[in-house]
């Protein structure tokens, strides 16, 4: 079985400040971890993924995420938030031997204010 | 060119009707999916096809029937529509399954049952 938890329904941050969107996971094998972003009335867009190797993964639009195996976490970060980053962010997980199924968290609404 | 395209984008229909949503991908991927996003933005997998073969069939009412005429197309037919079917339905595709490639999503079909 696999599951993903995003403990915060909403994160508010001022423009220019660093942001973190939290994600923890549970899988029965080695995890493959993803972040997607959804803008209003749009589909999900891929941001970044962790498969193996370096625990710090860099993705689109200046986002990065750190894989922490001991804490089973994959938090999304950005050093300096922009108002245009305001969107709904989803963490997702699959795992080795897990076949085709990608399980999503419940989403975190990021609001960046001036 | 749109990688994963869904039609229609919006669908408003009465209870009891039968409707179809179409999905096409031009990425050469061999696996396609249907996800349902409810009013709380929660994403849940419904079906997955690999090279026209059904490989994931989650607990979905049998009023929902996917059809894959070839690996580039995955359609969703819904019989006897109910109010609770109102949601956004996303099509997605991947190469070799979710592990470790992630998905490419369509822009969604917003179904409203009245």
């Amino acid at each position: 079985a696999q599951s993903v938890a995003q403990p915060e329904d909403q994160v508010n941050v001022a423009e220019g400040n660093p942001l973190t969107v939290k994600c923890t996971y549970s899988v029965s094998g080695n995890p493959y971890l993803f972040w997607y972003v959804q803008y209003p009335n749009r589909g999900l867009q891929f941001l970044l993924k962790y498969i193996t190797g370096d625990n710090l993964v860099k993705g689109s639009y200046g986002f990065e995420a750190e894989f922490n195996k001991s804490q089973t976490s994959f938090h999304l970060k950005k050093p300096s938030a922009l108002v245009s980053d305001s969107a709904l962010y989803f963490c997702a997980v699959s795992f080795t031997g897990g076949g085709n199924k990608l399980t999503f968290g419940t989403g975190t609404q990021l609001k960046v204010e001036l | 060119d749109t990688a994963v395209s869904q039609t229609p984008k919006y669908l408003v229909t009465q209870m009891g009707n039968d409707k179809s949503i179409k999905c096409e991908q031009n990425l050469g991927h061999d696996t396609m999916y249907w996800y349902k996003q409810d009013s709380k933005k929660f994403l849940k997998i419904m079906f997955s096809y690999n090279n026209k073969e059904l490989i994931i069939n989650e607990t979905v009412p049998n009023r929902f029937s996917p059809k894959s005429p070839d690996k580039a197309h995955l359609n969703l037919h819904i019989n006897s529509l109910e109010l609770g079917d109102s949601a956004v339905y996303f099509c997605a595709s991947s190469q070799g399954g979710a592990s470790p490639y992630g998905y490419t999503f369509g822009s969604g079909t917003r179904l409203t049952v009245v």
Side-chain angles (χ1 to χ4, degrees):
Chain A
Q2 58 199 69
S3 64
V4 179
Q6 293 182 244
E8 302 153 318
D9 290 337
Q10 181 158 322
V11 170
N12 296 324
V13 64
E15 189 174 52
N17 283 0
L19 69 87
T20 298
V21 182
K22 295 179 180 178
C23 171
T24 58
Y25 66 90
S26 174
V27 297
S28 54
N30 291 322
Y32 300 131
L33 294 153
F34 305 83
W35 277 101
Y36 286 84
V37 59
Q38 185 179 23
Y39 296 98
N41 300 315
R42 303 284 295 276
L44 279 76
Q45 297 177 30
F46 170 81
L47 273 180
L48 51 79
K49 66 181 178 184
Y50 171 83
I51 305 301
T52 187
D54 195 348
N55 290 343
L56 184 63
V57 178
K58 294 189 183 295
S60 306
Y61 313 121
F63 284 93
E64 58 188 30
E66 186 165 12
F67 170 65
N68 187 318
K69 187 173 183 178
S70 62
Q71 296 186 4
T72 61
S73 67
F74 190 57
H75 301 330
L76 181 70
K77 300 182 179 184
K78 187 173 182 181
S80 178
L82 299 171
V83 171
S84 58
D85 293 329
S86 299
L88 183 60
Y89 290 82
F90 288 96
C91 183
V93 68
S94 63
F95 63 99
T96 53
N100 299 70
K101 189 174 176 178
L102 192 60
T103 298
F104 286 85
T106 50
T108 298
Q109 185 70 48
L110 174 66
K111 188 174 182 181
V112 182
E113 299 167 310
L114 288 170
Chain B
D1 285 341
T2 303
V4 180
S5 59
Q6 297 179 227
T7 55
K9 190 172 178 62
Y10 299 97
L11 184 54
V12 180
T13 188
Q14 291 186 325
M15 278 194 304
N17 283 353
D18 303 338
K19 290 293 178 184
S20 292
I21 306 171
K22 296 185 176 181
C23 179
E24 176 182 4
Q25 56 95 4
N26 62 6
L27 298 167
H29 289 168
D30 55 14
T31 308
M32 297 184 72
Y33 312 82
W34 280 111
Y35 274 78
K36 179 180 179 181
Q37 186 174 45
D38 62 21
S39 58
K40 294 185 178 180
K41 305 297 185 182
F42 185 65
L43 279 160
K44 184 172 170 54
I45 192 167
M46 301 174 69
F47 302 104
S48 174
Y49 270 76
N50 181 269
N51 278 322
K52 303 191 296 177
E53 180 183 352
L54 181 65
I55 55 173
I56 293 176
N57 185 352
E58 294 289 297
T59 308
V60 177
N62 57 15
R63 298 182 295 103
F64 290 78
S65 54
K67 285 186 172 55
S68 182
D70 55 62
K71 76 173 192 177
H73 296 83
L74 179 61
N75 303 323
L76 183 65
H77 188 75
I78 315 170
N79 290 327
S80 303
L81 277 154
E82 299 178 357
L83 292 176
D85 298 331
S86 295
V88 180
Y89 293 84
F90 285 102
C91 178
S93 71
S94 71
Q95 182 59 36
S99 311
Y101 301 102
Y103 297 174
T104 301
F105 281 86
S107 57
T109 296
R110 183 175 295 276
L111 172 64
T112 304
V113 182
V114 297

